[in-house]
Amino acid sequence: MSRKGMGWVVLVFVLSVVVELPACWVVRAFGLPVRDASGSLWQGQAQQLGPVGPLHWAVQPWRLQASAQLGFQGQAWQLRAEGWPWRWRLDASAVGAQATVPTDYRLAGQWQGALRIQGAGRQCHASEGRITVTDLALSEPWSLGLGQGWLEMDCQNGWGLRGQLVQQGQHQLAVDADLPGRRAQVVFELQPEAALTPLLRGAQWLGPQALAGQRDLRW
């Protein structure tokens, strides 16, 4: 066989491997915390990825598009991205209730809404929309009502995330996070008999007599 013919054979083989690259190979190669992965790198599914699952994905690099459907804490989410790395758009929306993988804690609530983010490269240029939750509660390892809340992106100074959580007659919490900087500030106000009060004092977020404060977090 000529060198040209051999080159075509090698090219076809490499392209075939890339197109049909099994997802389980990628999982093993990078040591990802994935369970029961099937399909290919470009279109597949997994029962669990860390605390998330089930998970379905589809990637079309030739069209600069990718989408994923995932379950987390009893809620299904839809993610869609297109245009990266140039002018890109990312959409995230709450779909509905779904059976998800068990975790050490369990949050229950009714999530609604969607976020749309636009940017270029690593920059976030604009965002719109809001995701809201009603009747949010911690159901495991113990029961605790958390109230109503919302989350939205803020691209004025980069990748910012803002949110609020309110339980009438109990507490009010606000969070302002810098995602690339991996830091956030939580500001909270509580009523004297709030269920969160002993928890925050036990975690040393509150002094013995204080009912308001703030906490800087890093991860």
Side-chain angles (χ1 to χ4, degrees):
M1 182 181 295
S2 66
R3 290 185 177 180
K4 185 176 180 180
M6 180 62 72
W8 276 108
V9 170
V10 172
L11 179 61
V12 170
F13 174 76
V14 171
L15 290 177
S16 300
V17 171
V18 171
V19 170
E20 299 296 335
L21 185 62
C24 58
W25 289 12
V26 179
V27 170
R28 286 196 294 266
F30 291 94
L32 301 177
V34 175
R35 181 165 62 89
D36 296 336
S38 61
S40 71
L41 174 64
W42 313 111
Q43 184 168 353
Q45 59 188 8
Q47 182 62 29
Q48 184 174 359
L49 171 59
V52 173
L55 172 65
H56 301 262
W57 68 86
V59 181
Q60 298 176 303
W62 55 92
R63 300 180 62 183
L64 301 180
Q65 292 183 353
S67 62
Q69 299 172 355
L70 58 92
F72 179 67
Q73 291 293 320
Q75 175 70 38
W77 298 88
Q78 175 76 45
L79 305 178
R80 180 178 175 82
E82 60 181 30
W84 192 88
W86 297 282
R87 295 176 60 87
W88 53 260
R89 188 180 77 184
L90 174 63
D91 298 325
S93 58
V95 180
Q98 179 181 10
T100 57
V101 296
T103 56
D104 294 337
Y105 65 96
R106 173 75 178 195
L107 286 172
Q110 301 178 28
W111 296 85
Q112 300 180 59
L115 294 175
R116 173 173 292 179
I117 310 168
Q118 299 180 27
R122 296 183 179 181
Q123 302 300 315
C124 173
H125 292 163
S127 62
E128 59 181 303
R130 174 179 285 190
I131 292 177
T132 63
V133 61
T134 57
D135 301 324
L136 184 65
L138 179 69
S139 58
E140 293 179 14
W142 61 80
S143 179
L144 178 65
L146 298 174
Q148 331 302 318
W150 55 265
L151 289 171
E152 63 184 23
M153 291 294 300
D154 181 2
C155 290
Q156 292 184 355
N157 297 304
W159 289 85
L161 177 68
R162 298 189 297 124
Q164 189 178 69
L165 185 63
V166 177
Q167 177 88 318
Q168 292 296 331
Q170 290 281 314
H171 59 255
Q172 177 173 320
L173 291 82
V175 61
D176 190 350
D178 173 11
L179 299 181
R182 302 177 64 182
R183 60 179 181 267
Q185 183 181 76
V186 181
V187 179
F188 45 89
E189 297 180 10
L190 301 99
Q191 298 300 316
E193 302 301 323
L196 274 179
T197 301
L199 296 179
L200 295 183
R201 285 180 178 157
Q204 298 184 344
W205 281 33
L206 272 177
Q209 304 300 323
L211 292 174
Q214 67 180 45
R215 188 79 174 185
D216 294 326
L217 304 177
R218 292 185 176 274
W219 61 87

